[in-house]
Amino acid sequence: MKSIYITTPIYYINDKPHIGHAYTTIAGDILARYHRMIGNSVTYVTGTDENSQKNLEAAQKAGVADMMTYLDSMSALWQDTWKKLDISHDDFIRTTQDRHHTAVAKFWGLVKEKGDIYKGNYEGWYCVGCEAFYLESDLVEGNCPTHKKPAQKIVEENYFFRLTAYRDALLAHIEAHPDFVQPVSRRNEIINYIKDNMIDVSISRVNASVGIPVPDDADHKIYVWFDALINYLSVVGFGSDEKKFNENWPAHLHLVGKDILKFHCALWPAMLLSAGLELPAHVFAHGHFTIDGEKMSKSLGNVVNPVEVMEKYGNDALRFHVMREIRFGEDGDFSLTRLEQRYVSELSNELGNLMYRVLSMSEKYCDGKIPAAGSIVIPLDTGAYMAAFEKFELHQALDVVWNTVRACNKLIDDYKPWELAKTDSFKVREVMYALLDALARVAHTLSPFCPVTAEKILVQLGLSLEEVAATPFEERIAANKLPEGTALMKGDVLFPRLS
Ligand code: MSP
């Protein structure tokens, strides 16, 4: 049993979650559920990044005078969203919590003791949208290149982190651990950045109205990214529960979007090296969504609310669609039209009808019970499935499952049980066993992606969910394990017609 600690970014709460945030959180949830299923001990966490100027501006815009009142209500809204999307996180960190402040103070102390924090003059540009510093040469006509809004000129005495002292160590680590930064395209991007563009970073702001105060110098507040990254330590007990911390750290995976790659693959590992802590095993940066081909934005009015999608199509359809639509790691487009098409063609026709037909035929040809196993086995390539998960190729793992769904449909087409039943009642039962058995393996391997559907299939196959949970994964996915004579429990169709 391995200890697997997986994180999502902690999200800014200047607005409600959109489909992009849900994508990362769903992907992390799929990985967490997979690792729990194969018997690993999993800690999956997400949270909210609260000490940010962006949140303050949003509170002011919303007319909420007390910042904490605003943060409490927004953080609750995010937590409620993950509950509705059935995200199985084990903890939720808020950077306004005491446990985080304790961890940040301890971390700052370690880095300071190492001699990596110094005072210097910062003269440059800051974009609140990005919460990031820019060189004048980065700006486009004075505007932030991402938000296209004027950057703020800052001239002040700040604390700096000696990031450049870690240039060689970072490059050596990335070289020695080819799977630290994934996918490969991102690895090259970060190597170039570290080699050519990385400079020491200002890690405090003078007289800022939000932020964690610098220990021993309350005139300064800690730069939000330096504070936020430490959440990955505080949520597993750094500075407050050393036993828990040692059980979880180093993390197995930081899952992020490609927009925040630099913070996670340059600044963060350098901070950890400075503090004398181990580096996470993997950082995986996935791509970004557009919506019907356009960038998602409030002004275009195309921001997709994941809760509305869930309410209309169900969580499983949402999870299934995003994982099937986009090779995990690449950019992609989200379209409700495509989701509906896939719902009908794949979920409803290929899987839902398959299940319904197999159970109906089993009623007719096998008295509604699981018949005896025969010599036909529909393969499910579990080796490829598990290898795909190890490489974070989530779309590939799902493809393995779907190949078996398609093989089931093909077997029906090939044998035509309704004809076979007329001539060979023994053979037809063998065909039905092969289908029922394959559907059980489909349900197990589909469960990280579509947990609700997987449970429905298992229940309809007459299996007890408690018994399944107590069975080791290797046994669950072995062929010919369905107990003969078990009564099938034909239920509702898996994917009802869309209204
Ligand atoms: N607060 C920082 C993260 C700190 S982690 C120590 C932050 N927050 S954020 O609210 O802006 O969330 C950014 C993340 O949301 C991206 O890295 C990505 O995971 C997800 N996405 C936001 N927009 C997205 C798309 N359009 N498409 C896919 N994912 C997107 O950055």
Side-chain angles (χ1 to χ4, degrees), residues 259-280:
D259 51 324
I260 56 177
L261 181 75
K262 276 192 268 181
F263 293 108
H264 285 82
C265 298
L267 176 59
W268 178 229
M271 285 166 64
L272 289 166
L273 288 172
S274 172
L277 294 168
E278 280 185 75
L279 303 195

Side-chain angles (χ1 to χ4, degrees), residues 8-14 18-25 48-50 52 54 78 129-131 224-225 227-232 255-261 263-264 286-291 295-296 331-332:
T8 72
I10 48 168
Y11 303 104
Y12 295 128
I13 46 177
N14 54 333
H18 62 56
I19 195 81
H21 307 118
Y23 182 56
T24 317
T25 314
T48 42
D49 190 348
E50 306 196 3
S52 154
K54 278 160 92 95
W78 281 69
C130 304
E131 294 281 18
V224 66
W225 271 99
D227 140 7
L229 287 160
I230 297 170
N231 93 84
Y232 299 135
L255 192 58
V256 297
K258 65 176 186 178
D259 51 324
I260 56 177
L261 181 75
F263 293 108
H264 285 82
H286 65 67
H288 271 194
F289 278 179
T290 49
I291 306 297
K295 192 175 163 32
M296 197 178 351
D331 289 341

Side-chain angles (χ1 to χ4, degrees), residues 49-102:
D49 190 348
E50 306 196 3
N51 306 314
S52 154
Q53 195 76 20
K54 278 160 92 95
N55 298 338
L56 178 69
E57 288 179 6
Q60 284 165 348
K61 212 166 145 199
V64 184
D66 178 50
M67 183 67 175
M68 217 44 225
T69 307
Y70 175 82
L71 294 175
D72 285 347
S73 72
M74 286 305 282
S75 184
L77 178 87
W78 281 69
Q79 293 181 56
D80 187 50
T81 301
W82 302 145
K83 200 168 162 202
K84 287 186 172 136
L85 297 191
D86 206 11
I87 300 300
S88 65
H89 51 291
D90 301 288
D91 204 342
F92 189 95
I93 179 88
R94 300 181 57 187
T95 54
T96 44
Q97 286 168 338
D98 286 347
R99 59 176 173 166
H100 179 66
H101 284 233
T102 310

Side-chain angles (χ1 to χ4, degrees), residues 202-489:
S202 160
I203 52 166
S204 73
R205 301 287 310 275
V206 184
N207 299 322
S209 34
V210 289
I212 300 179
V214 166
D216 308 324
D217 193 347
D219 289 345
H220 288 256
K221 300 270 170 43
I222 299 178
Y223 169 45
V224 66
W225 271 99
F226 196 87
D227 140 7
L229 287 160
I230 297 170
N231 93 84
Y232 299 135
L233 304 176
S234 37
V235 67
V236 287
F238 181 73
S240 58
D241 184 345
E242 289 309 299
K243 182 171 172 287
K244 183 172 165 191
F245 180 66
N246 291 328
E247 280 164 6
N248 285 287
W249 194 259
H252 173 67
L253 171 69
H254 293 317
L255 192 58
V256 297
K258 65 176 186 178
D259 51 324
I260 56 177
L261 181 75
K262 276 192 268 181
F263 293 108
H264 285 82
C265 298
L267 176 59
W268 178 229
M271 285 166 64
L272 289 166
L273 288 172
S274 172
L277 294 168
E278 280 185 75
L279 303 195
H282 311 287
V283 178
F284 187 99
H286 65 67
H288 271 194
F289 278 179
T290 49
I291 306 297
D292 296 316
E294 307 256 22
K295 192 175 163 32
M296 197 178 351
S297 83
K298 267 195 176 169
S299 47
L300 283 174
N302 65 351
V303 178
V304 176
N305 179 346
V307 175
E308 283 169 16
V309 180
M310 175 282 285
E311 280 165 353
K312 177 141 190 224
Y313 305 97
N315 271 329
D316 283 10
L318 167 62
R319 295 162 73 99
F320 181 79
H321 176 68
V322 291
M323 286 301 140
R324 218 93 174 109
E325 184 77 355
I326 300 156
R327 289 177 66 84
F328 195 56
E330 291 176 13
D331 289 341
D333 189 55
F334 183 87
S335 132
L336 284 175
T337 315
R338 300 261 312 141
L339 187 153
E340 283 200 10
Q341 284 165 353
R342 193 183 296 287
Y343 182 100
V344 174
S345 65
E346 297 194 328
L347 289 175
S348 174
N349 289 350
E350 291 187 275
L351 180 60
N353 277 355
L354 169 69
M355 186 67 193
Y356 194 78
R357 287 173 86 193
V358 169
L359 289 188
S360 304
M361 289 191 286
S362 304
E363 270 175 6
K364 274 197 206 146
Y365 314 134
C366 314
D367 311 318
K369 293 200 186 96
I370 297 194
S375 59
I376 308 170
V377 171
I378 303 169
L380 192 152
D381 191 347
T382 44
Y385 172 83
M386 295 179 83
F389 262 112
E390 293 309 315
K391 289 186 281 180
F392 309 113
E393 291 173 350
L394 303 184
H395 56 284
Q396 198 62 43
L398 187 51
D399 218 34
V400 169
V401 183
W402 218 251
N403 283 340
T404 298
V405 170
R406 290 186 172 157
C408 290
N409 282 310
K410 182 161 186 315
L411 196 87
I412 298 180
D413 288 348
D414 289 348
Y415 279 96
K416 301 189 179 43
W418 52 95
E419 285 178 12
L420 191 61
K422 293 180 200 151
T423 55
D424 190 341
S425 64
F426 181 78
K427 188 75 182 171
V428 80
R429 294 165 78 87
E430 205 179 299
V431 170
M432 294 322 300
Y433 185 90
L435 289 165
L436 292 162
D437 184 64
L439 278 167
R441 283 175 285 129
V442 162
H444 294 311
T445 46
L446 188 64
S447 69
F449 297 95
C450 301
V452 179
T453 307
E455 283 201 356
K456 281 188 189 161
I457 297 176
L458 294 172
V459 168
Q460 295 195 14
L461 292 175
L463 298 173
S464 128
L465 295 178
E466 285 91 63
E467 270 178 39
V468 167
T471 310
F473 181 65
E474 291 71 25
E475 251 177 72
R476 279 186 231 177
I477 53 163
N480 288 353
K481 287 279 177 194
L482 278 190
E484 185 185 345
T486 308
L488 297 165
M489 314 246 287

